[in-house]
Amino acid sequence: MKKLLLIFALLAAWLPMAAEPAEKAVEDALEQTREETAEEKPDLKEIIFDHLGDGYGWEVPFNHHKRIPLPVIVWGSDGLHIFSSARLEHGAVYTDGGATFKLATEGDYKGKVVEIVDGKESKPWDVSITKNVCAILIACLIVVLLLLKLARWNKKNPFKAPRKTTGAIEALVEFIYNGVIRSTLKDKAPRFAPYLLTVFFFIFFMNLLGLIVVFPGGANVTGNIAVTLVLALFTFFITNAFGTKHYWKEIFWPDVPLWLKFPIPIMQVIEVFGIFTKPAALTVRLFANMMGGHMIVLILTMLIFIFAAMGYAVASGTAVVSIAFSVFMLLIDVLVSFIQAYVFTMLSTIFIALAQEEGEHGHDHKDPPHKPAPQAGTA
C-alpha cells in the first residue's frame, strides 16, 4: 500500500512537469498560426485607397499585387526620363543613366516617383501617364468616336433615325439639348451647346467606366477632386469670360439701396464671393457623390474578407449578402452616373444663362422671332 501511494505521489509530481512542454508546443503552434493568418490577411485599407486613388499602373482583377504598367515620364536632375512603371514595382529602385528613381513609401511624396540625389529623395517634374490620365484619354476617345459616328449618320441619313448605340446617343443629345440647354439659354443655346454637351458625355462615360472592374474601367476619375475642380473651372471661365455688361454691373453695382453698396461695399463683396462659390459647389457635388458611391461598393465587398475569419458559415452568409448589396449598389450607381452628369450640365447651363442676361431691355433670353403664318388666299 505504501508503494502504491509513493507511485501516485511521483506521478502527481511528474505530470505537471511533463505537461509544460506540451502546452508550450501548443501555444507556439497557435502563435505561429496567428502570425501566418495575419500575414495572409489582406490589407483592406490599402486595397480601398489604392482603388480610389491614382497610380502608375492598372490593377489586374483578382490579383491586387500585379498591375498593367504605364509609362513614367519625369524630368530629373539630368534631363528627361521615360520608362515603364514595371521597373518600380514592389519597392524596386531603377537607375536610368545617371539618375536613380523609386516609388516613395512614406513622407509627403508617398506613392509618387522620387529621384534619389545624394541619398535624399527629391520630387522630379512628373508628367507620367497615370491610371487617371489614361482613363481620361480613354473616355475622351470613346466620346469622340461615338459622337463622330452620330454626326456621320445624320449627314448620310438626314431623314432616318439611327438605332442601337447611335440611336441611344442621339436620344441623349436631344434630351440634354432640348430639355436643358435650349430651354434655359434660348437663342444663345447653339453658342454654348458644344461645351455643355461635351461636359455631359465626358462625365457620364467617365462615371460608367469607373463602375467597371476590369481594364479600361476601374479608375475613380470623377471621384478625384482635382478632376472635378478642373471641370468646374471650365464652367467658371466660360461663365465670366462671356458675361454681359449687365452681369458685371449687377456684381459691382447691384440694384439695391445705396447704403448696402456705398461707402461699405457689402453687396459687392457678397456678389464677388458668389462668383467663386458656384464652381466650388460644382466641384464638391460631383466629387462627393461619386466618391461615396465607390466607397460603399468597396466596403460592401470587403465585408466578405472581414467576416472570413469568423468561420465558413458566417463567411458564406456574409458573402451572399455582400454580393447582393454590391450588385444593387452598382445598379444604383449606373443611375447616379447619369444623374450627376445631368446635374453638372444643368447647373453649368444655369450659371452661364445668368451671365447672359441683358436686363429689362435685353432680348437675349427671348425666343427668336417667328414669321407670321400666311393667311388663307395669300401666296
Side-chain angles (χ1 to χ4, degrees):
M1 188 67 181
K2 291 181 178 179
K3 292 181 179 180
L4 290 175
L5 292 174
L6 180 61
I7 292 172
F8 280 120
L10 291 174
L11 286 173
W14 176 79
L15 284 175
M17 297 174 62
E20 287 181 1
E23 292 177 359
K24 186 70 168 58
V26 172
E27 290 180 359
D28 291 344
L30 290 174
E31 183 65 26
Q32 183 179 358
T33 303
R34 283 193 291 266
E35 291 177 357
E36 291 176 355
T37 304
E39 290 177 358
E40 295 175 358
K41 184 178 179 180
D43 189 342
L44 303 182
K45 180 180 177 181
E46 180 184 356
I47 292 174
I48 291 175
F49 282 98
D50 277 355
H51 177 80
L52 296 178
D54 201 0
Y56 292 94
W58 215 297
E59 292 85 357
V60 176
F62 311 112
N63 192 336
H64 193 68
H65 298 287
K66 291 185 179 180
R67 298 192 174 199
I68 301 173
L70 294 172
V72 176
I73 307 172
V74 293
W75 186 274
S77 58
D78 60 344
L80 181 66
H81 297 269
I82 303 175
F83 53 91
S84 172
S85 63
R87 299 182 182 276
L88 302 177
E89 289 183 351
H90 309 298
V93 177
Y94 175 64
T95 301
D96 186 19
T100 303
F101 302 95
K102 73 170 189 175
L103 286 177
T105 56
E106 58 184 2
D108 297 335
Y109 305 135
K110 183 178 180 181
K112 302 296 183 181
V113 174
V114 294
E115 181 181 5
I116 302 175
V117 181
D118 298 330
K120 297 181 179 179
E121 296 180 355
S122 64
K123 185 73 171 65
W125 189 52
D126 192 349
V127 291
S128 303
I129 307 298
T130 62
K131 182 172 70 172
N132 283 351
V133 174
C134 187
I136 290 173
L137 295 176
I138 292 172
C140 291
L141 180 63
I142 292 174
V143 171
V144 169
L145 291 178
L146 290 176
L147 294 181
L148 286 180
K149 183 179 179 181
L150 175 61
R152 287 195 300 269
W153 172 272
N154 287 326
K155 186 176 181 180
K156 294 180 180 179
N157 307 278
F159 303 106
K160 187 178 180 181
R163 296 181 179 182
K164 298 181 180 179
T165 304
T166 306
I169 297 299
E170 184 179 43
L172 284 175
V173 171
E174 291 288 333
F175 176 74
I176 298 298
Y177 182 76
N178 293 324
V180 179
I181 301 174
R182 185 171 180 79
S183 62
T184 305
L185 288 169
K186 306 301 181 187
D187 57 316
K188 289 192 176 181
R191 185 181 186 186
F192 298 100
Y195 164 71
L196 294 170
L197 287 171
T198 301
V199 165
F200 170 79
F201 280 103
F202 173 76
I203 296 175
F204 181 53
F205 281 103
M206 199 65 262
N207 290 345
L208 293 180
L209 286 175
L211 301 178
I212 303 174
V213 179
V214 297
F215 181 85
N220 184 32
V221 176
T222 48
N224 187 321
I225 196 168
V227 176
T228 59
L229 175 61
V230 171
L231 292 174
L233 287 176
F234 279 126
T235 297
F236 171 78
F237 287 125
I238 290 175
T239 300
N240 293 283
F242 295 96
T244 61
K245 293 180 180 179
H246 177 76
Y247 168 74
W248 289 108
K249 181 258 179 189
E250 286 297 318
I251 291 176
F252 293 106
W253 198 257
D255 188 15
V256 296
L258 184 63
W259 62 273
L260 288 175
K261 53 188 176 182
F262 182 83
I264 302 177
I266 299 175
M267 290 303 301
Q268 287 92 327
V269 171
I270 294 175
E271 292 292 341
V272 171
F273 182 74
I275 294 176
F276 297 97
T277 56
K278 293 173 183 176
L282 288 175
T283 301
V284 176
R285 181 187 297 272
L286 180 58
F287 159 74
N289 282 281
M290 299 314 301
M291 173 67 83
H294 283 279
M295 185 73 76
I296 290 172
V297 173
L298 285 172
I299 291 174
L300 288 173
T301 305
M302 292 299 105
L303 287 177
I304 300 172
F305 301 97
I306 294 173
F307 287 98
M310 297 184 180
Y312 291 107
V314 177
S316 301
T318 306
V320 173
V321 175
S322 297
I323 292 173
F325 273 104
S326 297
V327 172
F328 173 74
M329 286 305 304
L330 282 173
L331 295 176
I332 294 296
D333 277 344
V334 173
L335 179 61
V336 171
S337 298
F338 171 79
I339 292 174
Q340 291 306 314
Y342 175 81
V343 169
F344 191 98
T345 306
M346 179 183 66
L347 291 177
S348 297
T349 305
I350 292 173
F351 296 155
I352 293 172
L354 291 174
Q356 296 301 307
E357 291 183 353
E358 294 286 354
E360 296 179 358
H361 302 290
H363 301 283
D364 286 30
H365 275 277
K366 293 182 179 180
D367 291 324
H370 299 280
K371 294 181 180 180
Q375 297 179 358
T378 58

Short mmCIF file of all heavy atoms in Angstrom, two decimals, residues 56 72-83 88 94 96 99-104 108-117 120-128:
data_model
loop_
_atom_site.label_atom_id
_atom_site.label_comp_id
_atom_site.label_asym_id
_atom_site.label_seq_id
_atom_site.Cartn_x
_atom_site.Cartn_y
_atom_site.Cartn_z
N TYR A 56 0.56 54.44 -60.84
CA TYR A 56 1.38 54.34 -62.05
C TYR A 56 1.13 53.03 -62.79
O TYR A 56 1.85 52.72 -63.73
CB TYR A 56 2.86 54.46 -61.69
CG TYR A 56 3.24 55.83 -61.19
CD1 TYR A 56 3.24 56.12 -59.83
CD2 TYR A 56 3.60 56.85 -62.07
CE1 TYR A 56 3.59 57.37 -59.36
CE2 TYR A 56 3.94 58.11 -61.62
CZ TYR A 56 3.93 58.36 -60.26
OH TYR A 56 4.27 59.61 -59.81
N VAL A 72 6.13 56.02 -67.32
CA VAL A 72 6.55 57.04 -66.36
C VAL A 72 7.37 58.07 -67.12
O VAL A 72 8.36 57.72 -67.78
CB VAL A 72 7.38 56.43 -65.22
CG1 VAL A 72 7.89 57.52 -64.28
CG2 VAL A 72 6.55 55.42 -64.44
N ILE A 73 6.96 59.33 -67.04
CA ILE A 73 7.65 60.41 -67.75
C ILE A 73 8.02 61.47 -66.71
O ILE A 73 7.14 62.15 -66.17
CB ILE A 73 6.77 61.02 -68.84
CG1 ILE A 73 6.24 59.93 -69.78
CG2 ILE A 73 7.53 62.08 -69.63
CD1 ILE A 73 5.20 60.42 -70.77
N VAL A 74 9.31 61.59 -66.41
CA VAL A 74 9.76 62.54 -65.39
C VAL A 74 10.96 63.32 -65.92
O VAL A 74 11.72 62.84 -66.77
CB VAL A 74 10.15 61.82 -64.08
CG1 VAL A 74 8.93 61.22 -63.41
CG2 VAL A 74 11.19 60.75 -64.31
N TRP A 75 11.08 64.54 -65.39
CA TRP A 75 12.23 65.37 -65.73
C TRP A 75 13.11 65.43 -64.48
O TRP A 75 12.80 66.12 -63.52
CB TRP A 75 11.78 66.77 -66.15
CG TRP A 75 12.93 67.63 -66.65
CD1 TRP A 75 13.77 68.40 -65.90
CD2 TRP A 75 13.35 67.78 -68.00
NE1 TRP A 75 14.70 69.02 -66.69
CE2 TRP A 75 14.47 68.65 -68.00
CE3 TRP A 75 12.91 67.24 -69.21
CZ2 TRP A 75 15.13 69.02 -69.17
CZ3 TRP A 75 13.58 67.61 -70.37
CH2 TRP A 75 14.67 68.50 -70.34
N GLY A 76 14.19 64.65 -64.51
CA GLY A 76 15.07 64.56 -63.36
C GLY A 76 16.16 65.60 -63.36
O GLY A 76 16.13 66.58 -64.11
N SER A 77 17.16 65.37 -62.54
CA SER A 77 18.26 66.33 -62.40
C SER A 77 19.14 66.39 -63.64
O SER A 77 19.84 67.39 -63.85
CB SER A 77 19.11 65.97 -61.18
OG SER A 77 19.61 64.64 -61.29
N ASP A 78 19.11 65.33 -64.46
CA ASP A 78 19.94 65.31 -65.66
C ASP A 78 19.12 65.26 -66.94
O ASP A 78 19.64 64.88 -67.99
CB ASP A 78 20.91 64.12 -65.60
CG ASP A 78 20.18 62.79 -65.51
OD1 ASP A 78 18.97 62.80 -65.20
OD2 ASP A 78 20.81 61.74 -65.76
N GLY A 79 17.83 65.61 -66.88
CA GLY A 79 17.02 65.68 -68.08
C GLY A 79 15.82 64.76 -68.06
O GLY A 79 15.38 64.31 -67.00
N LEU A 80 15.30 64.47 -69.25
CA LEU A 80 14.06 63.71 -69.39
C LEU A 80 14.33 62.21 -69.30
O LEU A 80 15.30 61.70 -69.86
CB LEU A 80 13.40 64.03 -70.74
CG LEU A 80 12.08 63.35 -71.05
CD1 LEU A 80 10.99 63.82 -70.10
CD2 LEU A 80 11.67 63.62 -72.51
N HIS A 81 13.41 61.52 -68.58
CA HIS A 81 13.49 60.07 -68.44
C HIS A 81 12.12 59.47 -68.71
O HIS A 81 11.12 59.92 -68.15
CB HIS A 81 13.96 59.67 -67.04
CG HIS A 81 15.34 60.15 -66.70
ND1 HIS A 81 16.47 59.40 -66.94
CD2 HIS A 81 15.77 61.32 -66.16
CE1 HIS A 81 17.53 60.07 -66.55
NE2 HIS A 81 17.14 61.24 -66.07
N ILE A 82 12.08 58.45 -69.57
CA ILE A 82 10.84 57.75 -69.89
C ILE A 82 11.10 56.25 -69.73
O ILE A 82 12.00 55.70 -70.37
CB ILE A 82 10.36 58.06 -71.33
CG1 ILE A 82 10.17 59.57 -71.52
CG2 ILE A 82 9.06 57.32 -71.63
CD1 ILE A 82 9.81 59.96 -72.95
N PHE A 83 10.32 55.60 -68.90
CA PHE A 83 10.48 54.17 -68.67
C PHE A 83 9.15 53.61 -68.18
O PHE A 83 8.22 54.34 -67.85
CB PHE A 83 11.59 53.88 -67.67
CG PHE A 83 11.48 54.61 -66.37
CD1 PHE A 83 10.81 54.06 -65.29
CD2 PHE A 83 12.05 55.88 -66.22
CE1 PHE A 83 10.69 54.74 -64.09
CE2 PHE A 83 11.94 56.56 -65.02
CZ PHE A 83 11.26 55.99 -63.96
N LEU A 88 9.48 49.88 -61.24
CA LEU A 88 9.42 50.42 -59.88
C LEU A 88 8.49 49.61 -58.98
O LEU A 88 8.20 50.05 -57.86
CB LEU A 88 8.93 51.88 -59.92
CG LEU A 88 9.77 52.85 -60.75
CD1 LEU A 88 9.12 54.23 -60.75
CD2 LEU A 88 11.18 52.94 -60.22
N TYR A 94 15.21 51.91 -59.70
CA TYR A 94 15.59 51.85 -61.11
C TYR A 94 16.58 52.97 -61.42
O TYR A 94 16.35 54.13 -61.07
CB TYR A 94 14.36 51.99 -62.00
CG TYR A 94 14.67 52.07 -63.48
CD1 TYR A 94 15.26 51.01 -64.15
CD2 TYR A 94 14.38 53.23 -64.21
CE1 TYR A 94 15.55 51.07 -65.50
CE2 TYR A 94 14.66 53.30 -65.56
CZ TYR A 94 15.25 52.23 -66.20
OH TYR A 94 15.54 52.30 -67.54
N ASP A 96 18.41 54.97 -64.43
CA ASP A 96 18.34 55.30 -65.85
C ASP A 96 19.41 56.35 -66.13
O ASP A 96 19.27 57.52 -65.77
CB ASP A 96 16.95 55.84 -66.21
CG ASP A 96 16.79 56.06 -67.69
OD1 ASP A 96 17.56 55.49 -68.47
OD2 ASP A 96 15.88 56.83 -68.09
N ALA A 99 20.65 58.83 -63.23
CA ALA A 99 19.60 59.14 -62.25
C ALA A 99 18.99 57.86 -61.70
O ALA A 99 18.87 56.85 -62.40
CB ALA A 99 18.52 60.00 -62.89
N THR A 100 18.61 57.91 -60.43
CA THR A 100 18.02 56.76 -59.75
C THR A 100 16.63 57.15 -59.25
O THR A 100 16.47 58.18 -58.59
CB THR A 100 18.89 56.31 -58.56
OG1 THR A 100 20.20 56.01 -59.03
CG2 THR A 100 18.29 55.08 -57.90
N PHE A 101 15.63 56.29 -59.55
CA PHE A 101 14.25 56.59 -59.20
C PHE A 101 13.65 55.42 -58.43
O PHE A 101 14.07 54.27 -58.56
CB PHE A 101 13.41 56.84 -60.46
CG PHE A 101 13.91 57.96 -61.32
CD1 PHE A 101 14.73 57.71 -62.41
CD2 PHE A 101 13.55 59.27 -61.04
CE1 PHE A 101 15.19 58.73 -63.20
CE2 PHE A 101 14.01 60.31 -61.83
CZ PHE A 101 14.83 60.06 -62.91
N LYS A 102 12.63 55.74 -57.63
CA LYS A 102 11.85 54.73 -56.92
C LYS A 102 10.52 55.35 -56.52
O LYS A 102 10.31 56.56 -56.64
CB LYS A 102 12.60 54.23 -55.70
CG LYS A 102 12.65 55.22 -54.55
CD LYS A 102 13.20 54.56 -53.30
CE LYS A 102 13.06 55.47 -52.08
NZ LYS A 102 13.48 54.82 -50.84
N LEU A 103 9.61 54.50 -56.05
CA LEU A 103 8.34 54.97 -55.52
C LEU A 103 8.49 55.22 -54.02
O LEU A 103 8.92 54.32 -53.28
CB LEU A 103 7.23 53.96 -55.77
CG LEU A 103 6.69 53.83 -57.19
CD1 LEU A 103 5.64 52.73 -57.26
CD2 LEU A 103 6.11 55.14 -57.67
N ALA A 104 8.17 56.42 -53.58
CA ALA A 104 8.28 56.76 -52.16
C ALA A 104 7.26 55.96 -51.36
O ALA A 104 6.10 55.82 -51.77
CB ALA A 104 8.08 58.25 -51.95
N ASP A 108 5.87 63.04 -47.53
CA ASP A 108 4.98 63.87 -48.34
C ASP A 108 4.79 63.33 -49.75
O ASP A 108 3.80 63.63 -50.41
CB ASP A 108 5.52 65.30 -48.41
CG ASP A 108 5.56 65.98 -47.05
OD1 ASP A 108 4.76 65.57 -46.18
OD2 ASP A 108 6.38 66.89 -46.85
N TYR A 109 5.76 62.56 -50.25
CA TYR A 109 5.71 62.05 -51.62
C TYR A 109 5.31 60.59 -51.68
O TYR A 109 5.63 59.90 -52.65
CB TYR A 109 7.07 62.24 -52.30
CG TYR A 109 7.59 63.65 -52.27
CD1 TYR A 109 8.92 63.93 -51.94
CD2 TYR A 109 6.74 64.72 -52.56
CE1 TYR A 109 9.40 65.22 -51.93
CE2 TYR A 109 7.22 66.02 -52.54
CZ TYR A 109 8.54 66.26 -52.22
OH TYR A 109 9.00 67.56 -52.19
N LYS A 110 4.60 60.09 -50.69
CA LYS A 110 4.25 58.67 -50.64
C LYS A 110 3.43 58.28 -51.88
O LYS A 110 2.44 58.93 -52.22
CB LYS A 110 3.43 58.38 -49.38
CG LYS A 110 3.08 56.91 -49.23
CD LYS A 110 2.31 56.66 -47.95
CE LYS A 110 1.96 55.18 -47.80
NZ LYS A 110 1.20 54.91 -46.57
N GLY A 111 3.86 57.21 -52.54
CA GLY A 111 3.18 56.73 -53.73
C GLY A 111 3.58 57.43 -55.01
O GLY A 111 3.10 57.06 -56.08
N LYS A 112 4.46 58.42 -54.93
CA LYS A 112 4.91 59.17 -56.10
C LYS A 112 6.34 58.77 -56.47
O LYS A 112 7.10 58.28 -55.63
CB LYS A 112 4.86 60.68 -55.83
CG LYS A 112 3.48 61.19 -55.45
CD LYS A 112 2.47 61.02 -56.56
CE LYS A 112 1.11 61.60 -56.18
NZ LYS A 112 0.12 61.40 -57.26
N VAL A 113 6.69 59.02 -57.72
CA VAL A 113 8.04 58.75 -58.18
C VAL A 113 8.97 59.83 -57.63
O VAL A 113 8.70 61.03 -57.78
CB VAL A 113 8.11 58.71 -59.71
CG1 VAL A 113 9.56 58.59 -60.19
CG2 VAL A 113 7.29 57.56 -60.26
N VAL A 114 10.06 59.40 -57.00
CA VAL A 114 11.04 60.34 -56.47
C VAL A 114 12.42 59.97 -57.01
O VAL A 114 12.68 58.81 -57.35
CB VAL A 114 11.06 60.34 -54.92
CG1 VAL A 114 9.76 60.88 -54.36
CG2 VAL A 114 11.34 58.95 -54.37
N GLU A 115 13.28 60.96 -57.07
CA GLU A 115 14.66 60.74 -57.51
C GLU A 115 15.57 60.78 -56.29
O GLU A 115 15.41 61.64 -55.42
CB GLU A 115 15.08 61.81 -58.52
CG GLU A 115 16.49 61.62 -59.04
CD GLU A 115 16.90 62.71 -60.03
OE1 GLU A 115 16.10 63.65 -60.22
OE2 GLU A 115 18.00 62.62 -60.58
N ILE A 116 16.50 59.85 -56.23
CA ILE A 116 17.45 59.81 -55.11
C ILE A 116 18.69 60.59 -55.50
O ILE A 116 19.45 60.19 -56.40
CB ILE A 116 17.82 58.36 -54.76
CG1 ILE A 116 16.55 57.57 -54.41
CG2 ILE A 116 18.80 58.32 -53.59
CD1 ILE A 116 16.79 56.10 -54.16
N VAL A 117 18.88 61.74 -54.84
CA VAL A 117 20.02 62.61 -55.11
C VAL A 117 20.80 62.77 -53.81
O VAL A 117 20.28 63.30 -52.83
CB VAL A 117 19.56 63.99 -55.64
CG1 VAL A 117 20.76 64.87 -55.94
CG2 VAL A 117 18.69 63.83 -56.88
N LYS A 120 19.18 61.49 -50.70
CA LYS A 120 17.92 62.09 -50.29
C LYS A 120 16.90 61.99 -51.42
O LYS A 120 17.27 61.98 -52.60
CB LYS A 120 18.12 63.55 -49.89
CG LYS A 120 19.03 63.73 -48.68
CD LYS A 120 19.15 65.21 -48.32
CE LYS A 120 20.05 65.41 -47.11
NZ LYS A 120 20.19 66.84 -46.75
N GLU A 121 15.61 61.94 -51.05
CA GLU A 121 14.53 61.86 -52.03
C GLU A 121 14.10 63.26 -52.45
O GLU A 121 13.83 64.11 -51.60
CB GLU A 121 13.34 61.10 -51.45
CG GLU A 121 13.63 59.65 -51.12
CD GLU A 121 12.42 58.94 -50.55
OE1 GLU A 121 11.39 59.62 -50.34
OE2 GLU A 121 12.48 57.72 -50.33
N SER A 122 14.03 63.48 -53.75
CA SER A 122 13.55 64.76 -54.28
C SER A 122 12.49 64.47 -55.34
O SER A 122 12.57 63.47 -56.05
CB SER A 122 14.69 65.58 -54.87
OG SER A 122 15.25 64.90 -55.99
N LYS A 123 11.52 65.36 -55.45
CA LYS A 123 10.41 65.16 -56.38
C LYS A 123 10.76 65.76 -57.73
O LYS A 123 10.93 66.96 -57.87
CB LYS A 123 9.15 65.83 -55.82
CG LYS A 123 7.90 65.58 -56.65
CD LYS A 123 7.42 64.15 -56.46
CE LYS A 123 6.04 63.94 -57.11
NZ LYS A 123 6.08 64.09 -58.56
N PRO A 124 10.87 64.92 -58.78
CA PRO A 124 11.11 65.46 -60.12
C PRO A 124 9.82 66.01 -60.72
O PRO A 124 8.72 65.80 -60.19
CB PRO A 124 11.62 64.25 -60.90
CG PRO A 124 10.94 63.09 -60.23
CD PRO A 124 10.82 63.46 -58.77
N TRP A 125 9.96 66.71 -61.83
CA TRP A 125 8.79 67.21 -62.56
C TRP A 125 8.14 66.01 -63.24
O TRP A 125 8.73 65.39 -64.12
CB TRP A 125 9.21 68.27 -63.56
CG TRP A 125 8.05 68.96 -64.18
CD1 TRP A 125 7.02 69.56 -63.54
CD2 TRP A 125 7.81 69.13 -65.59
NE1 TRP A 125 6.13 70.10 -64.45
CE2 TRP A 125 6.60 69.86 -65.72
CE3 TRP A 125 8.51 68.76 -66.74
CZ2 TRP A 125 6.07 70.20 -66.95
CZ3 TRP A 125 7.97 69.12 -67.97
CH2 TRP A 125 6.78 69.83 -68.07
N ASP A 126 6.93 65.67 -62.81
CA ASP A 126 6.29 64.41 -63.20
C ASP A 126 5.11 64.67 -64.11
O ASP A 126 4.13 65.32 -63.74
CB ASP A 126 5.83 63.69 -61.92
CG ASP A 126 5.41 62.26 -62.19
OD1 ASP A 126 5.28 61.89 -63.37
OD2 ASP A 126 5.21 61.50 -61.21
N VAL A 127 5.18 64.15 -65.34
CA VAL A 127 4.06 64.23 -66.30
C VAL A 127 3.73 62.82 -66.79
O VAL A 127 3.43 62.61 -67.97
CB VAL A 127 4.38 65.17 -67.48
CG1 VAL A 127 4.43 66.60 -67.04
CG2 VAL A 127 5.70 64.76 -68.16
N SER A 128 3.76 61.87 -65.91
CA SER A 128 3.55 60.47 -66.26
C SER A 128 2.10 60.21 -66.68
O SER A 128 1.18 60.94 -66.28
CB SER A 128 3.90 59.57 -65.08
OG SER A 128 5.23 59.78 -64.65
#
